[in-house]
Structures are given as structure tokens and as C-alpha cells.
């Protein structure tokens, strides 16, 4: 079964100044700008340790304990948005939301294809993976690192639809049950209109949060 997120603790300092100029200085000194939202509190501009934080984020972790300097209680937070540099190589800003461990949240998780598909043994066959992540709703404590899809029995000309995949208990998938997660074609075949459309949907940029009032300056970081 897919590994579940373990809650790591990140430490953060408040930052009084926001904007791209100061954010750049923070990153140059080994920090990572972030903003914490939620639970009726004003947005809190923070600086985290760049190396430690990115290590956890790249491992697929989404739920963290957050220890903010000067606050006695550690917050439980959910990673809501990752901003990359213009090359798409480096993480330059994170958004977190305060959560309770027993509340349900909506998150995106990657799809992992496992197994050696029987259809790939045929000459000229190619595996298409139109959807690389799913939108799910579940308790914070049940967020999986990924959803596993076994493609061992997948043959040429066949597809695996979302409705055929066993989803772990306590997780509701919000995507179309007819969505194609994997299919095998020969290189001379053209994908169907449905699969082409689904692939296009999967390629759309993800918009996780709405812009907050007064957050324009920070959003440019």
C-alpha cells in the first residue's frame, strides 16, 4: 500500500518585510519564504530553512508540524502551493494552511504506475500516462504520498480507467471515474479523442488557492 505521510516539524521565523527583493535576499542566505494562512488568523509571512524544507517537499510530504519562533504551540499545517523559479527548477516560495488533524482536506496526489505491462512486450508498443495526479478528499492523517496503479495486465489497445483502481479506505477521489490513467498503443495507432482530451486536461496548470486581499506583494515572491 502507498506510504502515508509522516509529520515532520519545520521551524520558521517571522519576517516583517515582504516582496520580491526581500524574498531574493532570504533565498540567497539559505532561507525559503513562505506564508501561513487559515483558521481565521491573519496571513503570517515566514522564513524557513531552504535545504531542510525542500528535502521534505521533494519527498512528497504535505503535512507538517510548524514551530514558529515566538509562538508556544506548534501548528499543524498543510502544504497548499509551491512556487518555482521561471525555469521550473528551484522552489522559491511555499503556501501553508493551518489544519486540524481530524479535518478533511482536498489535495492533489501523484499516480504511480507499477508493474511491467504485458503489452509493452509487443514490438512498437508505447505506454501513455494521460493523468499523472488525482484530486482527493480525506482526513489530514490519511493523505497518501501517491495512488498506486498496477499495470502488469495492461495489453495493447486496452486502458485502465480510474473506476478500475482500488482506492485506500477513507479516501474520496474527486476526478471523473472514466478518466484514463494508463493505456498502451502501437506507434502506428492514433490515441482516441477521449484519451487525447484527458491528456490535455492532465496538462493544465494547477491553481490551488485564490489570491487573498492584500497578498499581491507577497504573491510576486
Amino acid at each position: 500500500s502507498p506510504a502515508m505521510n509522516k509529520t515532520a516539524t519545520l521551524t520558521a521565523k517571522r519576517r516583517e518585510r515582504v516582496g520580491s527583493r526581500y524574498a531574493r535576499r532570504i533565498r540567497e542566505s539559505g532561507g525559503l519564504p513562505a506564508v501561513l494562512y487559515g483558521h481565521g488568523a491573519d496571513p503570517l509571512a515566514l522564513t524557513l530553512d531552504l535545504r531542510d524544507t525542500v528535502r521534505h517537499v521533494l519527498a512528497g510530504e504535505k503535512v507538517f508540524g510548524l514551530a514558529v519562533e515566538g509562538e508556544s504551540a506548534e501548528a499543524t499545517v498543510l502544504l497548499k502551493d509551491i512556487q518555482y523559479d521561471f525555469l521550473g527548477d528551484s522552489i522559491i516560495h511555499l503556501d501553508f494552511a493551518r489544519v486540524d488533524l481530524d479535518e478533511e482536506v482536498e489535495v492533489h496526489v501523484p499516480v504511480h504506475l507499477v508493474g511491467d505491462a504485458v503489452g509493452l512486450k509487443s514490438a512498437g508498443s508505447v505506454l501513455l500516462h494521460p493523468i499523472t495526479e488525482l484530486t482527493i478528499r480525506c482526513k489530514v492523517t490519511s493523505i497518501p504520498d501517491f495512488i498506486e496503479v498496477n499495470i502488469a495486465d495492461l495489453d495493447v489497445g486496452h486502458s485502465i480507467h480510474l473506476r478500475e483502481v482500488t482506492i485506500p479506505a477513507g479516501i474520496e477521489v474527486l476526478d471523473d471515474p472514466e478518466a484514463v490513467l494508463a493505456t498502451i498503443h502501437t506507434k502506428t495507432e492514433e490515441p482516441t479523442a477521449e484519451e487525447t482530451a484527458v491528456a490535455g486536461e492532465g496538462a493544465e496548470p494547477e491553481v490551488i488557492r485564490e489570491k487573498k486581499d492584500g497578498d499581491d506583494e507577497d504573491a510576486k515572491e
Side-chain angles (χ1 to χ4, degrees), residues 109 134-137 147 162 167-168 171-177:
V109 293
L134 295 172
T135 304
I136 67 168
R137 191 196 313 278
I147 298 294
L162 177 55
I167 304 298
I171 294 176
E172 177 189 3
V173 180
L174 304 180
D175 298 272
D176 182 357

Side-chain angles (χ1 to χ4, degrees), residues 111-131:
V111 175
H112 281 194
L113 303 183
V114 298
D116 297 320
V118 63
L120 290 180
K121 296 176 183 177
S122 301
S125 60
V126 58
L127 173 67
L128 300 179
H129 186 14
I131 290 181

Side-chain angles (χ1 to χ4, degrees), residues 17-148:
R17 310 181 81 168
V18 298
S20 57
R21 179 188 308 172
Y22 302 107
R24 188 162 48 249
R25 291 178 186 172
I26 288 169
R27 290 190 292 272
E28 288 171 353
S29 61
L32 179 63
V35 175
L36 175 62
Y37 299 100
H39 284 195
D42 290 335
L44 191 60
L46 302 171
T47 299
L48 294 89
D49 180 79
L50 178 65
R51 179 182 292 236
D52 181 55
T53 305
V54 167
R55 177 171 60 87
H56 287 294
V57 171
L58 293 182
E61 298 175 42
K62 295 179 178 64
V63 180
F64 301 91
L66 185 64
V68 178
E69 190 175 66
E71 291 193 8
S72 56
E74 184 176 297
T76 300
V77 300
L78 176 69
L79 178 61
K80 293 291 287 183
D81 191 29
I82 304 172
Q83 293 179 25
Y84 292 88
D85 65 5
F86 68 96
L87 293 175
D89 294 332
S90 301
I91 294 174
I92 62 171
H93 186 275
L94 299 175
D95 283 355
F96 294 96
R98 297 178 189 269
V99 291
D100 293 324
L101 287 176
D102 61 349
E103 78 175 272
E104 288 199 339
V105 293
E106 188 174 309
V107 295
H108 303 273
V109 293
V111 175
H112 281 194
L113 303 183
V114 298
D116 297 320
V118 63
L120 290 180
K121 296 176 183 177
S122 301
S125 60
V126 58
L127 173 67
L128 300 179
H129 186 14
I131 290 181
T132 58
E133 68 176 17
L134 295 172
T135 304
I136 67 168
R137 191 196 313 278
C138 64
K139 286 191 174 183
V140 171
T141 50
S142 299
I143 298 173
D145 288 334
F146 55 86
I147 298 294
E148 189 174 278

Side-chain angles (χ1 to χ4, degrees), residues 13 16 31 40 47 53 65 102 118 129 135 148 158 166 181 185 220-221:
K13 296 180 180 179
E16 301 303 324
T47 299
T53 305
D102 61 349
V118 63
H129 186 14
T135 304
E148 189 174 278
H158 293 268
T166 300
L181 302 185
H185 290 284
K220 297 175 184 174
E221 296 177 354

